[in-house]
Amino acid sequence: MKKPVEQFDVVVLGGGLSGFCAAVAAAREGAKTCLIHNRPVLGGNASSEVRVTVHGAACHHAYARETGIVGEAMRLERSRNHIFPIENGWTNSVFDMSLYDMAMREENLTLHLNTDVFDVELEDGTRGLEALGRWPVATDERGYWLRPACEQGKSISAVFARVQNAEVELRAEGKVFIDCTGDALVGHLAGCEWRMGSESREETGEVHAAAAASKDTMGNSIHIRCIDTGRPAPFKAPEWAVHYEDADFFYKQGRKPNEPEGGYWWLEIGVPWDTIHDNETIRHELTRHALGVWDWMKNKDPNMMDRCRNYALEFIGQVPGKRESRRIIGRHFLNENELQSREDFEDEVAFGGWFIDLHTPGGLLAENSEPASAVGYDASIKDVALKYIGPYGIPLRSLISRDVPNLMMAGRNISVTHAALGTVRVMATCGLMGEGAGTAAALGVSRGWLPGEVAERASEELKNRLLWKGCFLPHASLREPKLAGKAEASSSARFSGIGAWEKDPDVNLREWIWQQCRGMTTDLSLAPCNWFFADAGALESLAVHLVSETGGKASVCLRKVEQLWEYGRDPGGVVWRTEVAVPAGCDDLLRLSTDGLILEAGCYRLEVEGDKTIAWRMSGRHPWGVVGGHTVGSGRYHWNRIPGEYAFQVSPALNIYSADQVLSGGHRPQAQSNVWFADGALPQWVGVQWEAPRVLDEVAVTFPDQLMMELHWENPFYVAPHIAKRYKLLARVNGEWETVAEETENVQSRRVHSLGGIQADGLRVEVEETHGGCAAVCSIRVEG
C-alpha cells in the first residue's frame, strides 16, 4: 500500500457545499488547501447522488438569496443546465461538473475525491482511532447523547484517509482543519465534546425546543425522479416494498404528492435507527418506502393516477441525505433565541433565514413528517408564523471548536442547539458558513494565528474581506467604501409604480409566477403592504388599486422603516395616514393626495387595512426593491413568498435608481435600492470621478442578480436579465478614456478585474449587451 504524505495550510474534510465553499475560499485567499471527500462528485446532499435542492434564506425573505461562492456556483449551474429544477430529485451531472469546474480552476486547491478520512493525529502523536477505546464515551444522562471533551487544548497535526479502490493511504498534514463531514467525524476522532439529539425547553429557553430532552434526531432521506415517457408506463412494486393503502397518510399528515416528477422531502426515516451507525439499514428502509410511495401514486392514488399514467421511475437515490447527527461544541453555542432576536455578533461571518424546520423524529414512521407541513404551512397559525425568523447573522465562534485549537467546522455539525439547527442546516446557509470558515482559516494562517485568535483580533478585517468578495452580512457594511467620489451616468431610470395587469420582463423565470400573481388580491383584513424606497423630496400623491363589490372604508398608512426585512408592527414611523372611501363596484386605482409630503430618503412600508369586503390587487411585475407582504399569525408582517407586489402608483416618480447608488457598496435592496438602472437603449454607462488620480489595483463590478427567489424558480440556462453579457471597464488616464478590461460572454453577477496599479481620475462601466434587461450596476468597488 502506498502511503504518501502531503502538507497544506488548510485541510477541509467533506466536499458538500460547506466544504466546497470552505476550500475554494481558503484557496482564493492564497492558502495551500486540500479538500478530501468520500464521494466521486462534489456537492454532498445537493449532488446528483442525493439530489436535494439548494435552499436558503430567499425562501422566506425577499432579496435574501445567498451570494459569494455558493451564489457563484448556483449561477454557473443554472447558466449551463438544461434541467427544470423541482423541489428535490432533479439534480444531474451538470450540477456536479459546475462545482468540479470551479475547483479545478483554483491553483492553490488539491482535490482528493473517493477518499475516506478514518483517523487523526494530535500534536503529541495521539491517534484518535486508538484513543477512542480509552476516552470517555457518549452518555444520555441529560436525555440526549453527550460525549465530553477528551483532549482539550491539543491541535490536530494530520488526518489519515484511504483512497477507495486504489490501495493508497494518505497522510494530510495541515495548520488548520475544517470539519465539514456532517457527522463531525474529525471532531469526534480529535476528542471534541459533541451532542446528538434534542435539548429541552427548560435547558435552552427556546420556543421550539422539545418539551423534554431526547436522543431523537431528524431523519435521512432519499429521492426519486420520474420522467414523462409520452405513453403509458406500467409499474409494479416488488413484494419487499412497503405497500400503502391509506390516503390520509399522505393528504392529512403533510405528505401530499404535488408533482409526478418527484420532489418529496418527506421520504425520510431516522428514529428508531441511529442516523450514523444505522445508515445502511435506513437506506434499505427508505428504498422500500420510496418504491411504495411511487406505487401508491402510480396505481392507487385517485388524485395522481391519471397524472402519473405516462411517467416512469428513472432514478431512486441510494445515498441517504442526512439532516442531523453530531454537533461539535464550539467557542459559542448558538441558540434559537439569538436568531429570533437577530443578534448582532461582532464576529458575524454568514447569515441565514430558513424557517425553524424541525422534522418529526421518525419521518415516514411518525404521525406527520413536519408539523408545519401537516397544516399546509398556514402562516395564519401562530406557531407556524413563529417559525419564520431572520435574516440573522452567524458568528465565527460557532464555527471554531472549543476543545481543539486548530479545528473549525461548517455545515450541520457546527456549535448550535437542536432548535437552531432547524434553520442553519440548509445548504445555501451551509455554503456561506463554509466560505466564512475558509476565509478565516486562510487569514489566520497568513498571520500565524489560530482560528480563535482570528475571532478575537481580526473580526472586522474578516468581515470586510467577506464583503469585498461579494458576501452579504446583515449587520455589516464595508468599513471603508473606498470609492468616495462623484457618481455619474449616461441616464437613470425612475420608479412611478406598478399596474395590476403588468407582466414581469424577466421571462426566464417560471412564467406561472407572474401568471399566478397577476390580478390576484389580498383582502384588507390581512393588512397587505408594500415595502419600497423613496428619495428625499416632496410626494404629491399615492394611488392604490382596490377592489370591492359592496364598497366601504380603508385606512392607508405610509410608514418609514429601517429596511425591507422590517416585519414588526410597532406604532412608530408613521409619516402619513388617511381614510379612503371605496365605492361599490370598485376595481381601479384610487388616487390619494399627500399634499406635498416631504420624505427622507430610505425605505417605506405602504400599509392598507380594512375588512374582508375590500381587497388590494396584485401586480404581475416585480420591480427591484418593491416587496409585497401581509400580516401572519404572529401579528407581524411577512413577505408574500409566492411573489406578489400590490399595484400602486406614486407621483412624482421616485429617483431611487440613480448613479450614486453604485457608491454604497451594497448589491441587494435593503435600506436603499443599491442599484443603478439606465433609462434607454444600450449602450449605457455609469461611473465615478475623483478630484485627483488614484491607484487602481483591483476593481469589482457587481450587476443585479436574481436575489428575490430561490434557485428552483429559474428556468434552464437561466441568467438574470440585468447581468451584463458584454461590457467594458474604462479608466480616464491623463484626461483620456481607455478600455482597461472587457468581457464578451459574462454570466456572473460579480466580476473582479486586476488593473495592475494604473493611476486614473475616473472609472466607468459601459454596458453594451445584457441578458435581456436594461443596463444596470449594483456596485463598483475599488482596491488600490
Side-chain angles (χ1 to χ4, degrees):
M1 178 175 286
K2 292 184 177 180
K3 296 188 176 183
V5 177
E6 299 179 0
Q7 296 175 329
F8 301 95
D9 295 323
V10 179
V11 180
V12 181
L13 299 315
L17 285 186
S18 305
F20 169 78
C21 292
V24 171
R28 288 181 177 178
E29 290 295 308
K32 186 180 179 183
T33 304
C34 176
L35 174 57
I36 300 174
H37 186 44
N38 65 349
R39 303 304 308 170
V41 294
L42 295 167
N45 283 352
S47 74
S48 64
E49 290 191 310
V50 186
R51 303 194 178 191
V52 179
T53 294
V54 178
H55 282 300
C59 183
H60 303 288
H61 307 281
Y63 296 101
R65 181 85 172 262
E66 293 74 14
T67 50
I69 292 169
V70 70
E72 178 186 341
M74 297 306 101
R75 182 55 55 235
L76 185 65
E77 181 276 333
R78 278 292 81 203
S79 70
R80 294 176 172 180
N81 208 333
H82 60 281
I83 290 287
F84 281 93
I86 57 176
E87 176 61 24
N88 288 301
W90 64 273
T91 319
N92 60 5
S93 292
V94 177
F95 186 101
D96 304 336
M97 286 297 105
S98 297
L99 302 186
Y100 193 73
D101 181 20
M102 287 178 64
M104 290 299 100
R105 294 172 188 234
E106 298 302 326
E107 60 181 4
N108 293 323
L109 178 58
T110 298
L111 179 63
H112 289 291
L113 296 177
N114 295 305
T115 304
D116 285 295
V117 173
F118 68 91
D119 204 356
V120 307
E121 180 180 278
L122 301 182
E123 60 185 24
D124 64 353
T126 297
R127 293 285 291 264
L129 198 60
E130 177 274 329
L132 288 177
R134 55 182 171 80
W135 283 345
V137 298
T139 67
D140 60 354
E141 293 177 1
R142 298 190 189 179
Y144 47 82
W145 291 116
L146 186 149
R147 201 280 296 273
C150 307
E151 295 283 350
Q152 281 185 304
K154 294 181 181 179
S155 289
I156 300 172
S157 58
V159 297
F160 296 85
R162 293 192 181 99
V163 183
Q164 300 163 18
N165 305 311
E167 298 182 4
V168 173
E169 187 175 290
L170 170 69
R171 175 187 172 97
E173 300 174 353
K175 299 172 183 176
V176 177
F177 295 81
I178 308 178
D179 188 339
C180 301
T181 61
D183 287 336
L185 176 61
V186 176
H188 173 60
L189 292 170
C192 292
E193 179 176 325
W194 54 260
R195 296 183 180 190
M196 183 169 169
S198 306
E199 295 87 0
S200 69
R201 192 172 304 139
E202 180 181 3
E203 178 182 352
T204 66
E206 298 166 304
V207 173
H208 292 102
S214 77
K215 293 174 291 199
D216 295 345
T217 63
M218 291 179 280
N220 302 351
S221 285
I222 64 173
H223 293 295
I224 64 174
R225 177 167 175 81
C226 306
I227 59 170
D228 189 346
T229 65
R231 59 184 180 181
F235 174 78
K236 182 179 180 180
E239 291 183 3
W240 51 266
V242 174
H243 296 278
Y244 287 102
E245 305 293 340
D246 183 8
D248 288 355
F249 177 84
F250 297 96
Y251 290 96
K252 293 185 179 180
Q253 297 177 23
R255 304 181 183 98
K256 181 180 179 181
N258 293 314
E259 299 295 337
E261 291 92 344
Y264 315 125
W265 57 265
W266 40 263
L267 288 172
E268 172 185 357
I269 292 177
V271 174
W273 295 287
D274 183 292
T275 56
I276 298 176
H277 301 110
D278 297 325
N279 190 53
E280 264 300 286
T281 300
I282 292 174
R283 179 201 58 76
H284 174 64
E285 291 299 316
L286 283 168
T287 302
R288 295 178 62 235
H289 283 269
L291 291 169
V293 167
W294 179 239
D295 177 49
W296 161 261
M297 293 170 58
K298 180 81 174 170
N299 300 319
K300 304 173 186 177
D301 186 347
N303 297 313
M304 294 297 293
M305 287 172 60
D306 285 344
R307 294 180 64 191
C308 294
R309 187 179 308 280
N310 292 350
Y311 279 81
L313 184 62
E314 179 192 50
F315 169 84
I316 179 166
Q318 291 296 283
V319 180
K322 296 185 182 181
R323 291 178 177 85
E324 182 179 12
S325 54
R326 302 185 188 105
R327 294 170 278 123
I328 299 172
I329 300 301
R331 286 174 163 247
H332 181 84
F333 193 49
L334 190 63
N335 65 63
E336 179 195 347
N337 295 335
E338 293 170 311
L339 304 182
Q340 290 278 10
S341 64
R342 300 186 189 177
E343 185 82 14
D344 184 359
F345 298 106
E346 290 185 5
D347 58 338
E348 182 176 275
V349 293
F351 81 95
W354 186 254
F355 74 120
I356 302 290
D357 186 9
L358 297 170
H359 292 204
T360 307
L364 289 167
L365 308 182
E367 181 180 354
N368 60 63
S369 289
E370 199 277 324
S373 173
V375 294
Y377 300 104
D378 184 354
S380 66
I381 299 172
K382 184 176 181 180
D383 185 62
V384 174
L386 287 173
K387 292 177 182 287
Y388 297 133
I389 66 171
Y392 53 77
I394 299 171
L396 177 63
R397 287 165 295 145
S398 289
L399 314 183
I400 302 173
S401 166
R402 185 196 64 191
D403 304 317
V404 178
N406 69 337
L407 178 64
M408 304 181 73
M409 48 274 190
R412 62 182 174 85
N413 58 0
I414 70 165
S415 183
V416 289
T417 64
H418 168 77
L421 180 68
T423 172
V424 304
R425 65 181 175 82
V426 290
M427 285 184 287
T429 306
C430 289
L432 296 179
M433 290 189 277
E435 182 164 5
T439 305
L443 176 59
V445 167
S446 71
R447 303 284 172 81
W449 296 345
L450 291 167
E453 294 178 274
V454 176
E456 294 169 359
R457 303 170 63 178
S459 59
E460 287 299 318
E461 181 181 353
L462 176 60
K463 287 190 286 189
N464 228 40
R465 190 64 194 151
L466 289 167
L467 292 166
W468 163 256
K469 291 165 62 178
C471 295
F472 171 75
L473 300 173
H475 300 98
S477 57
L478 276 175
R479 188 175 53 200
E480 298 176 17
K482 296 190 175 182
L483 199 63
K486 180 182 178 182
E488 55 182 5
S490 53
S491 66
S492 295
R494 291 175 177 257
F495 176 74
S496 60
I498 48 177
W501 304 104
E502 290 186 64
K503 176 180 176 180
D504 196 84
D506 189 352
V507 295
N508 289 320
L509 282 176
R510 293 291 180 90
E511 189 169 291
W512 70 266
I513 295 174
W514 70 262
Q515 287 179 332
Q516 183 166 332
C517 300
R518 190 166 166 250
M520 287 180 62
T521 63
T522 300
D523 74 70
L524 301 193
S525 69
L526 294 175
C529 69
N530 272 346
W531 288 267
F532 69 100
F533 302 108
D535 60 317
L539 182 68
E540 299 297 336
S541 66
L542 279 166
V544 291
H545 192 134
L546 299 183
V547 180
S548 178
E549 291 185 5
T550 61
K553 288 190 175 182
S555 172
V556 182
C557 172
L558 185 63
R559 190 186 308 270
K560 181 80 163 58
V561 293
E562 183 179 343
Q563 41 128 314
L564 286 182
W565 302 322
E566 179 55 66
Y567 300 134
R569 297 194 72 189
D570 299 331
V574 174
V575 298
W576 175 80
R577 188 190 298 272
T578 191
E579 298 289 324
V580 56
V582 181
C586 180
D587 188 356
D588 204 351
L589 285 167
L590 298 181
R591 193 161 302 278
L592 311 170
S593 173
T594 54
D595 297 321
L597 175 69
I598 303 300
L599 298 179
E600 299 175 359
C603 188
Y604 289 83
R605 192 168 65 210
L606 180 61
E607 306 162 6
V608 185
E609 296 188 55
D611 60 30
K612 291 185 177 182
T613 65
I614 308 173
W616 194 355
R617 194 172 288 286
M618 287 183 178
S619 175
R621 188 160 71 91
H622 315 295
W624 178 276
V626 180
V627 175
H630 63 274
T631 54
V632 292
S634 60
R636 295 163 58 83
Y637 281 101
H638 204 74
W639 178 38
N640 282 334
R641 289 194 65 195
I642 300 299
E645 287 63 61
Y646 297 101
F648 80 118
Q649 300 290 327
V650 292
S651 180
L654 302 173
N655 187 26
I656 57 173
Y657 303 132
S658 58
D660 58 359
Q661 295 290 331
V662 304
L663 306 182
S664 70
H667 55 248
R668 69 184 70 220
Q670 195 180 10
Q672 60 190 54
S673 72
N674 290 326
V675 70
W676 161 76
F677 282 130
D679 183 18
L682 297 169
Q684 298 275 346
W685 58 264
V686 65
V688 62
Q689 293 189 48
W690 301 286
E691 292 183 356
R694 58 179 297 171
V695 175
L696 305 180
D697 289 326
E698 280 189 331
V699 173
V701 181
T702 303
F703 303 103
D705 207 343
Q706 195 288 100
L707 302 177
M708 189 177 196
M709 293 166 286
E710 293 193 288
L711 172 145
H712 59 285
W713 296 105
E714 298 172 354
N715 279 336
F717 305 114
Y718 179 83
V719 182
H722 296 295
I723 290 177
K725 180 179 181 180
R726 184 163 52 92
Y727 69 93
K728 293 178 180 178
L729 190 63
L730 300 98
R732 189 166 63 188
V733 180
N734 298 323
E736 298 292 330
W737 288 101
E738 300 178 2
T739 299
V740 293
E742 188 171 3
E743 292 291 339
T744 58
E745 293 292 335
N746 177 51
V747 298
Q748 290 289 349
S749 62
R750 181 178 181 271
R751 299 302 303 265
V752 178
H753 299 281
S754 297
L755 302 187
I758 66 171
Q759 294 194 28
D761 63 0
L763 189 66
R764 284 181 180 175
V765 178
E766 183 174 292
V767 179
E768 298 177 329
E769 182 182 0
T770 67
H771 289 272
C774 68
V777 174
C778 283
S779 71
I780 305 170
R781 294 175 175 173
V782 173
E783 284 281 341

